[in-house]
């Protein structure tokens, strides 16, 4: 407990024991020991007997004085460190040399730790001592740990790894949330709100202003993204940079070449729309990547791969297509659309770019050097998608005509071959196709939804069965809750789409049960009975699936005993504002 005192020339318990063992008059020896090791203040000696008269133990008095002096010393250390004295760190190093031998003494340890905390460069020998002792490492401040971590990547990785795992768990929990709503979904929290999450704040504190630690975290994120393909690591990469931006950590923001791009994109994500001005700014950053610095594209692609960035880009593309429709313009003639597609393509190709280390952008523009498949997204896929829109509008207009003017036109059930093919072969086209389905669901367009859902069974890399899309789709389908009373609609949603892969993809099973927990009272009872048999969890499935199934069973049992409450129709803010289109012979009469 008192290790280190002899090293400083201060007597400890062992010295007192030796003195009492060898002396002939113990009381005089004790008085002498107290005189030599007590508070060296001559005027105090005459006052101490008064404390004895009041029954105050000497230990209590000395402990009180010690505690007060320790607090004063710690305050003084902070004042010296924050001052402008050129020799301030020299004074602290001198104090460290005197106090460090007592670092394991609990009463002195706070002083030593305070000195270590305020030294910008702790002597390496002292850092090694702290790192080697688990107890000292545990109690030292994050400022000291940063100095240890920057030269010990493995130790820093051990500290960061649980936080990264926690972050992924939190994101996945949000996607499988029991809430099912179009208004409050995975993308609802603002960027600023997301950056107040525990993991982002802890990582920000651990990094501080240390560029080396920041680079280490980015390398961890790249490695994990490559290993798992989990896009939430891309979200964390952007959130971490913007968290440092919020704190005005210029030491890091000024050296990260993605800072201004991420800052501009963050503003777009906040608005859920990329306007013309910001689009030009983002284009300037992409065009400004100089020869020899192409590796920056890898980080930019990661930032654009962030689901929140993808969501903003595709929503902006959908709105842009609306405007083109109203203006009777072709997609290829819109520079803004070309830029949005360029950024979406760069984000969707992030994993391939970082994995191959080939930092080259496949430009989505109409030039001779364009990749043929990318060009076809604009010249083949988008026209095919617009033809689906026109079919829908034509049928809608037809239904509004007087009976004598109606033709025998029935609603189309098939989709253009090009639409299906690009959903399966091109990830950029697939992303737009999936968001078009969500848009149709927002409009509560049952006919179009029944036409489109079966096409999602086969999509590029099974994107339609990814957690983010299923999370959004199940929320959007609540808007069509009354349609679940129709066997035809149920058959399309479940038999035609969800149940085609639930047995091989557990996440689909979970999302289907999540949706039924909210809509079971709307589903046709005979169909619901069949669904429950089909969705019964196999023995080897996860506890989450079993728990959801049990909850659904309990809800159905309770429903049999008492009728369900009347539904409240949710209000809507669809994010995509309809554009009025002039009625002409060649133009549809409603918005996209």
């Amino acid at each position: 407990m008192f290790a280190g005192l002899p090293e400083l020339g201060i007597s400890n318990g062992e010295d007192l024991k030796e003195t009492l063992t060898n002396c002939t008059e113990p009381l005089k020896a004790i008085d002498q020991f107290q005189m030599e090791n007590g508070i060296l203040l001559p005027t105090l000696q005459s006052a101490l007997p008064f404390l004895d008269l009041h029954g105050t133990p000497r230990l209590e008095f000395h402990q009180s004085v010690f505690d007060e002096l320790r607090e004063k010393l710690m305050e003084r250390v902070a004042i010296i460190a924050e001052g402008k004295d050129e020799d301030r760190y020299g004074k602290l190093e001198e104090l460290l040399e005197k106090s460090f031998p007592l670092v394991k003494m609990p009463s002195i340890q706070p002083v030593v730790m305070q000195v270590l905390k305020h030294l910008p460069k702790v002597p390496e020998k002292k850092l090694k001592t702290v790192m080697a002792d688990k107890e000292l490492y545990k109690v030292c401040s994050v400022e000291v740990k940063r100095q240890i971590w920057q030269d010990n990547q493995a130790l820093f990785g051990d500290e960061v790894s649980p936080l990264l795992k926690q972050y992924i768990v939190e994101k996945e929990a949000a996607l499988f949330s029991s809430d099912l709503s179009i208004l409050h979904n995975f993308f609802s929290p603002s960027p600023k709100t997301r950056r107040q999450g525990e993991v982002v704040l802890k990582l920000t504190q651990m990094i501080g202003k240390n560029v080396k630690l920041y680079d280490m975290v980015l390398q961890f994120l790249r490695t994990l993204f490559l290993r798992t393909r989990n896009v939430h690591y891309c979200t964390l990469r952007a959130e971490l940079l913007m968290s440092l931006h919020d704190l005005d950590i210029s030491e890091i923001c000024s050296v990260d070449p993605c800072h201004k791009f991420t800052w501009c994109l963050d503003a777009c994500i906040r608005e859920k729309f990329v306007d013309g001005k910001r689009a030009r700014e983002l284009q300037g950053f992409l065009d400004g990547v100089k020869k020899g610095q192409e590796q920056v594209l890898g980080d930019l692609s990661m930032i654009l791969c962030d689901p929140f960035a993808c969501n903003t880009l595709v929503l902006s593309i959908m709105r842009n297509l609306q405007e083109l429709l109203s203006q009777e313009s072709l997609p290829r003639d819109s520079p803004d659309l070309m830029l949005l597609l360029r950024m979406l393509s760069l984000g969707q190709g992030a994993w391939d770019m970082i994995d191959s280390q080939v930092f080259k952008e496949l430009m989505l523009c109409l030039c001779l050097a364009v990749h043929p498949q990318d060009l076809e997204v604009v010249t083949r896929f988008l026209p095919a998608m617009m033809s689906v829109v026109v079919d829908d509008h034509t049928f809608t207009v037809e239904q509004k005509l007087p009976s004598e003017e109606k033709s025998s036109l029935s609603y189309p059930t098939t989709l253009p071959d090009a639409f299906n093919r690009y959903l399966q072969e091109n990830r950029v086209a697939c992303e737009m196709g999936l968001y078009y389905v969500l848009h149709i669901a927002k409009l509560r367009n049952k006919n179009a939804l029944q036409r489109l859902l079966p096409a999602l069974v086969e999509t590029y890399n099974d994107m339609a069965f990814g957690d983010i899309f299923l999370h959004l789709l199940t929320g959007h389908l609540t808007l069509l809750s009354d349609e679940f009373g129709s066997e035809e609609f149920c058959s399309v949603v479940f038999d035609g789409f969800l149940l085609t892969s639930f047995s091989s993809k557990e996440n689909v099973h979970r999302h289907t049960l999540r949706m039924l927990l909210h809509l079971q009272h709307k589903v046709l009872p005979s169909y619901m009975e069949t669904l429950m048999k089909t969705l019964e969890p196999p023995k080897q499935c996860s506890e989450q699936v079993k728990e959801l199934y049990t909850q659904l069973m309990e809800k159905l049992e309770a429903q049999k005993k008492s009728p369900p409450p009347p539904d409240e129709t949710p209000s809507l803010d669809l994010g995509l504002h309809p554009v009025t289109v002039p009625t002409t012979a060649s133009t549809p009469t409603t918005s996209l």
Side-chain angles (χ1 to χ4, degrees):
M1 184 176 177
F2 299 106
L5 286 175
E7 197 176 320
L8 299 175
I10 300 172
S11 302
N12 63 6
E14 290 298 319
D15 295 315
L16 177 60
K17 182 180 177 181
E18 186 180 339
T19 300
L20 292 174
T21 302
N22 298 325
C23 72
T24 53
E25 297 183 54
L27 291 177
K28 282 187 177 180
I30 290 172
D31 285 340
Q32 183 64 29
F33 189 88
Q34 286 180 326
M35 287 285 291
E36 291 173 356
N37 294 287
I39 299 172
L40 302 179
L41 189 65
T43 54
L44 179 64
Q45 297 307 314
S46 57
L48 287 176
F50 286 106
L51 293 175
D52 298 336
L53 290 173
H54 284 84
T56 302
R58 296 285 175 92
L59 173 62
E60 187 179 320
F61 167 70
H62 281 92
Q63 189 64 50
S64 171
V65 173
F66 179 87
D67 290 345
E68 185 68 24
L69 288 173
R70 183 180 59 198
E71 291 306 312
K72 293 287 183 187
L73 180 56
M74 289 175 69
E75 286 175 15
R76 184 65 186 150
V77 167
I79 291 169
I80 291 172
E82 290 164 8
K84 295 182 179 178
D85 185 352
E86 289 183 6
D87 193 35
R88 61 187 183 278
Y89 296 128
K91 291 176 182 177
L92 293 182
E93 286 175 4
E94 189 180 337
L95 179 58
L96 181 64
E97 284 300 320
K98 291 179 179 178
S99 61
F100 196 78
L102 307 177
V103 69
K104 292 190 179 181
M105 188 185 294
S107 55
I108 297 291
Q109 193 178 80
V111 176
V112 183
M113 291 301 169
Q114 178 81 332
V115 177
L116 287 170
K117 175 183 175 180
H118 285 96
L119 276 175
K121 188 165 177 57
V122 176
E124 191 175 341
K125 188 178 177 182
K126 305 283 191 297
L127 279 180
K128 285 183 177 177
T129 303
V130 172
M131 184 174 70
D133 189 302
K134 287 184 179 179
E135 289 302 314
L136 290 181
Y137 176 77
K138 188 177 177 181
V139 298
C140 75
S141 68
V142 71
E143 288 85 357
V144 179
K145 285 177 179 173
R146 284 185 201 128
Q147 296 187 49
I148 293 172
W149 292 332
Q150 68 178 6
D151 295 317
N152 293 272
Q153 186 169 350
L155 181 60
F156 185 52
D158 291 341
E159 292 275 357
V160 168
S161 182
L163 291 174
L164 302 183
K165 286 177 184 173
Q166 180 187 336
Y167 184 84
I168 298 302
V169 168
E170 288 172 359
K171 288 294 180 188
E172 289 176 350
L175 288 170
F176 288 105
S177 164
S178 57
D179 294 331
L180 205 68
S181 168
I182 188 172
L183 300 178
H184 304 289
N185 60 39
F186 182 73
F187 294 114
S188 296
S190 70
K192 198 97 171 180
T193 302
R194 288 188 283 116
R195 293 199 287 274
Q196 301 310 307
E198 181 187 0
V199 172
V200 176
L201 291 178
K202 276 188 178 178
L203 286 173
T204 304
Q205 184 195 25
M206 289 169 76
I207 291 167
K209 299 179 179 181
N210 195 308
V211 176
K212 198 170 180 181
L213 294 182
Y214 177 67
D215 285 339
M216 280 188 205
V217 173
L218 295 193
Q219 191 53 50
F220 294 153
L221 293 176
R222 289 186 203 103
T223 303
L224 287 165
F225 176 50
L226 279 179
R227 190 180 301 165
T228 65
R229 291 181 181 261
N230 194 319
V231 291
H232 299 313
Y233 290 116
C234 301
T235 306
L236 184 53
R237 196 262 184 256
E239 284 180 355
L240 187 57
L241 174 54
M242 287 309 299
S243 177
L244 293 163
H245 167 89
D246 292 342
L247 295 171
D248 199 22
I249 309 293
S250 58
E251 291 85 348
I252 290 174
C253 293
S254 62
V255 296
D256 188 332
C258 301
H259 172 231
K260 289 183 178 177
F261 182 89
T262 309
W263 184 9
C264 184
L265 186 62
D266 185 75
C268 298
I269 293 171
R270 187 178 64 242
E271 303 295 331
K272 289 187 170 62
F273 180 63
V274 183
D275 62 35
K277 182 184 176 185
R278 290 198 178 112
R280 286 187 290 277
E281 284 183 50
L282 293 168
Q283 183 174 11
F285 296 131
L286 290 176
D287 293 342
V289 175
K290 297 175 183 175
K291 195 173 181 180
Q293 297 179 344
E294 290 87 357
Q295 197 165 349
V296 174
L297 283 174
D299 274 334
L300 289 175
S301 69
M302 253 190 101
I303 286 161
L304 288 166
C305 189
D306 165 19
F308 289 86
C310 286
N311 178 63
T312 302
L313 290 172
V314 187
L315 287 177
S316 301
I317 287 169
M318 300 306 287
R319 194 188 292 190
N320 198 285
L321 288 172
Q322 258 184 268
E323 292 171 0
L324 290 173
L325 187 65
S326 68
Q327 297 161 6
E328 300 185 25
S329 300
L330 292 172
R332 70 184 76 178
D333 296 330
S334 169
D336 286 350
L337 179 60
M338 291 300 103
L339 174 63
L340 292 169
L341 289 170
R342 175 187 176 187
M343 290 192 288
L344 184 61
S345 178
L346 186 57
Q348 293 289 313
W351 191 91
D352 292 328
M353 183 180 286
I354 297 169
D355 180 54
S356 66
Q357 292 291 292
V358 177
F359 301 105
K360 188 177 179 182
E361 190 182 355
L362 291 174
M363 301 292 283
L364 258 165
C365 56
L366 297 178
C367 61
L368 294 174
V370 76
H371 192 282
Q373 196 180 39
D374 289 331
L375 175 58
E376 288 177 5
V377 170
V378 181
T379 60
R380 299 283 177 83
F381 173 74
L382 287 179
M385 190 168 86
M386 300 315 291
S387 74
V388 175
V389 178
V390 171
D391 287 344
D392 185 59
H393 289 314
T394 305
F395 181 78
T396 305
V397 171
E398 174 78 17
Q399 298 308 300
K400 292 177 182 178
L401 292 174
S403 54
E404 62 273 11
E405 294 181 27
K406 285 185 182 178
S407 65
S408 56
L409 183 71
S410 59
Y411 196 86
T413 54
T414 59
L415 291 163
D417 290 341
F419 186 84
N420 288 328
R421 183 160 60 86
Y422 284 99
L423 279 185
Q424 297 168 23
E425 296 177 2
N426 187 287
R427 57 184 150 211
V428 175
C430 186
E431 192 76 41
M432 288 189 285
L434 294 179
Y435 268 78
Y436 177 61
V437 171
L438 295 176
H439 179 59
I440 286 299
K442 282 179 181 178
L443 298 177
R444 308 184 197 216
N445 189 331
K446 182 187 77 168
N447 288 330
L449 196 60
Q450 289 182 163
R451 182 187 183 191
L452 287 161
L453 275 180
L456 303 189
V457 173
E458 292 184 41
T459 52
Y460 183 89
N461 206 23
D462 277 342
M463 285 170 68
F465 294 117
D467 288 330
I468 293 174
F469 176 70
L470 289 177
H471 168 90
L472 295 172
L473 179 66
T474 51
H476 285 50
L477 286 174
T478 58
L479 297 175
L480 293 124
S481 57
D482 290 336
E483 303 296 343
F484 282 89
S486 153
E487 186 170 352
E488 181 189 10
F489 188 75
C490 285
S491 180
V492 170
V493 173
F494 295 105
D495 299 330
F497 177 54
L498 291 172
L499 298 185
T500 60
S501 69
F502 88 101
S503 58
S504 60
K505 296 180 185 296
E506 190 177 275
N507 70 310
V508 181
H509 200 159
R510 284 179 71 181
H511 283 292
T512 305
L513 290 170
R514 276 178 66 243
M515 184 173 72
L516 286 172
L517 270 171
H518 287 262
L519 298 174
Q520 93 287 338
H521 61 286
K522 292 287 188 178
V523 179
L524 200 66
S526 58
Y527 197 88
M528 190 70 208
E529 194 176 326
T530 308
L531 272 177
M532 291 306 289
K533 290 176 184 175
T534 307
L535 293 169
E536 187 173 353
K539 288 181 181 179
Q540 68 275 19
C541 75
S542 69
E543 287 302 315
Q544 292 98 325
V545 171
K546 291 176 184 175
E547 188 180 336
L548 283 169
Y549 187 80
T550 303
Q551 288 175 18
L552 184 55
M553 288 285 286
E554 290 170 354
K555 217 162 185 180
L556 289 169
E557 288 300 320
Q559 185 182 314
K560 288 177 185 176
K561 295 174 184 176
S562 59
D567 286 341
E568 289 183 15
T569 304
S571 60
L572 283 179
D573 177 12
L574 300 181
L576 290 174
H577 306 292
V579 174
T580 305
V581 184
T583 307
T584 67
S586 60
T587 311
T589 56
T590 53
S591 62
L592 169 62

